[in-house]
Amino acid sequence: MRTFSRDRWLVVSNPDPELQRRGRNILLVGLILIFLVIASLPLVAIQPDPWPQVLTSVIGVLFIIGVMLLARRGWVDWSTIGMVAVLAVSFALIPFVTGQIGLTPVYATVAVVVAAVIGQERHILFAMLICIAGMIGQGFGLIGQNQVSPSPGEVVAVGVILTVVCGVIAGIGTRSVRHAIELANAAQLRAEALAKQLAQANEALEARVVERTAALQAALAESEQRQAALTAALAENERQRQEIQALSVPILAVREGMLVMPLIGALDGVRLALAQQRALQAVHDSRARWLLVDVTGVPFLDQTAADGVITLARSVRLLGARLVLIGVGPEVAQTMVGLKMELRAIDVVRDLRDALLRFSS
């Protein structure tokens, strides 16, 4: 079921917002006038000779409908002129139909007010001129006819004055309204321009944020890759260091119950600790009775190295084995004597061959 929709009936086919506003006003005024004409028909029907007024009303309604159709098609200026002309001519013809002028010229001000609602200043001026011309025509056309008080001249004079006053006031109001609408439209255009600039600025900012975010993500990924590579390199370095340390303190089994540990280079605290750890673990695991420490490749012994050798000898003794120094050179021997190194827990032989011969049993 189709329902009445105000927006559907007040559509004006024109892209200009101001003309759309005026067109909708024309449609509303036309509907009001048609309603007033229909509502006045019962009063016209009780007149002695109603048909002339009925015919005039029907013609007026048809003209109003035509004006409304023009407004809906977007011809707002022409429909404005048509609406003002229909009203002015209708009020001008009433005295000729009834034979009495009465207060009919005063009603002509309605055309001026309507022109202010639906038109611009030029339409108000047009309404004033056509209404004044109609009232003057009424005054001359009804001369000599019997009229009830007031006289036609008085009515016309009052009608002209009211029409002029209403026209001036309506023109001022229309000009103010039009100026306010122009200011509102200009403000709307500025707001739309600012909104567009703001949207463009937001888009540019979002693009920069996306670009910076992508750059940061790329830099972070590169940093993570470098960190992973560095971690892998450190792990490999540690593994190689441990292998080098293990190789720097090798422990070999020369026969059952006998191990040999050759030492090469200077003995610092780290190498001594590693040598002690590996030697004790090897003696324990193999249940060796002799640990041969070959110092042929050691250029000298300091107090730290001497103390480390003595500590190792005592630890090995606790595991049920005995430490044997082999390959002691002249410099090392002088150092051992100078440091007053305790040799009771240590056996000393010339070389590996002598050690094998001496501890073969």
Side-chain angles (χ1 to χ4, degrees), residues 1-11 27-28 31 68 72:
M1 180 177 180
R2 300 181 62 181
T3 59
F4 177 79
S5 175
R6 186 191 68 175
D7 294 336
R8 182 165 59 87
W9 285 99
L10 297 181
V11 173
L27 296 177
L28 289 174
L31 292 175
M68 293 172 64
R72 282 178 58 86

Side-chain angles (χ1 to χ4, degrees), residues 13 17 33 50 52 56 65 68 85 87 114 116 122 185 190 193 203 225 236-237 307 326 333 341:
S13 301
L33 292 176
T56 303
I65 293 174
M68 293 172 64
L87 291 175
V114 170
R122 64 179 184 272
N185 291 335
R190 289 195 298 270
E203 291 178 357
Q225 291 178 355
E236 179 64 19
N237 188 23
D307 293 340
I326 59 176
M341 187 174 175

Side-chain angles (χ1 to χ4, degrees), residues 203-240:
E203 291 178 357
L205 180 60
E206 290 177 356
R208 287 198 296 269
V209 169
V210 171
E211 182 180 356
R212 296 289 178 84
T213 302
L216 289 176
Q217 290 178 347
L220 180 60
E222 183 179 359
S223 177
E224 291 177 350
Q225 291 178 355
R226 291 181 178 179
Q227 182 66 28
L230 179 60
T231 302
L234 291 176
E236 179 64 19
N237 188 23
E238 178 65 19
R239 185 185 65 79
Q240 293 177 356

Side-chain angles (χ1 to χ4, degrees), residues 18-303:
E18 172 62 16
L19 293 179
Q20 290 181 3
R21 181 190 67 82
R22 288 172 50 199
R24 287 192 292 268
N25 289 341
I26 292 173
L27 296 177
L28 289 174
V29 170
L31 292 175
I32 293 173
L33 292 176
I34 292 174
F35 173 77
L36 292 177
V37 170
I38 295 174
S40 66
L41 289 179
L43 298 177
V44 174
I46 64 176
Q47 299 294 327
D49 187 12
W51 293 111
Q53 295 188 37
V54 171
L55 180 61
T56 303
S57 299
V58 171
I59 295 174
V61 168
L62 293 177
F63 273 105
I64 291 174
I65 293 174
V67 169
M68 293 172 64
L69 293 176
L70 289 177
R72 282 178 58 86
R73 294 179 65 87
W75 298 345
V76 177
D77 284 332
W78 286 106
S79 60
T80 301
I81 295 173
M83 181 68 75
V84 172
V86 168
L87 291 175
V89 172
S90 298
F91 292 133
L93 292 178
I94 290 176
F96 295 100
V97 175
T98 61
Q100 296 291 324
I101 189 169
L103 295 178
T104 302
V106 178
Y107 300 150
T109 57
V110 175
V112 178
V113 175
V114 170
V117 174
I118 66 176
Q120 296 178 334
E121 291 90 337
R122 64 179 184 272
H123 301 111
I124 297 175
L125 179 60
F126 171 73
M128 291 171 55
L129 293 177
I130 194 172
C131 288
I132 291 173
M135 285 183 285
I136 293 175
Q138 290 172 354
F140 283 105
L142 297 177
I143 292 177
Q145 297 185 14
N146 294 325
Q147 301 289 324
V148 297
S149 181
S151 65
E154 293 173 344
V155 175
V156 170
V158 172
V160 170
I161 294 173
L162 287 177
T163 301
V164 172
V165 171
C166 290
V168 172
I169 295 174
I172 295 173
T174 302
R175 184 178 181 85
S176 300
V177 171
R178 184 166 58 86
H179 182 64
I181 293 175
E182 290 176 352
L183 292 178
N185 291 335
Q188 182 179 1
L189 292 176
R190 289 195 298 270
E192 292 176 353
L194 291 176
K196 184 177 180 180
Q197 293 177 359
L198 180 60
Q200 293 176 350
N202 288 336
E203 291 178 357
L205 180 60
E206 290 177 356
R208 287 198 296 269
V209 169
V210 171
E211 182 180 356
R212 296 289 178 84
T213 302
L216 289 176
Q217 290 178 347
L220 180 60
E222 183 179 359
S223 177
E224 291 177 350
Q225 291 178 355
R226 291 181 178 179
Q227 182 66 28
L230 179 60
T231 302
L234 291 176
E236 179 64 19
N237 188 23
E238 178 65 19
R239 185 185 65 79
Q240 293 177 356
R241 186 185 66 83
Q242 293 177 358
E243 290 180 356
I244 293 172
Q245 286 181 349
L247 294 175
S248 66
V249 188
I251 299 177
L252 307 175
V254 294
R255 64 172 53 176
E256 185 178 356
M258 183 177 291
L259 302 176
V260 59
M261 181 175 67
L263 298 177
I264 301 174
L267 299 178
D268 54 10
V270 176
R271 289 194 66 194
L272 284 173
L274 179 61
Q276 291 174 359
Q277 179 183 0
R278 288 178 55 79
L280 295 175
Q281 187 66 40
V283 170
H284 177 270
D285 294 341
S286 63
R287 298 182 177 274
R289 297 175 56 198
W290 306 98
L291 176 62
L292 309 180
V293 179
D294 188 354
V295 294
T296 304
V298 177
F300 64 90
L301 288 178
D302 56 9
Q303 185 66 53

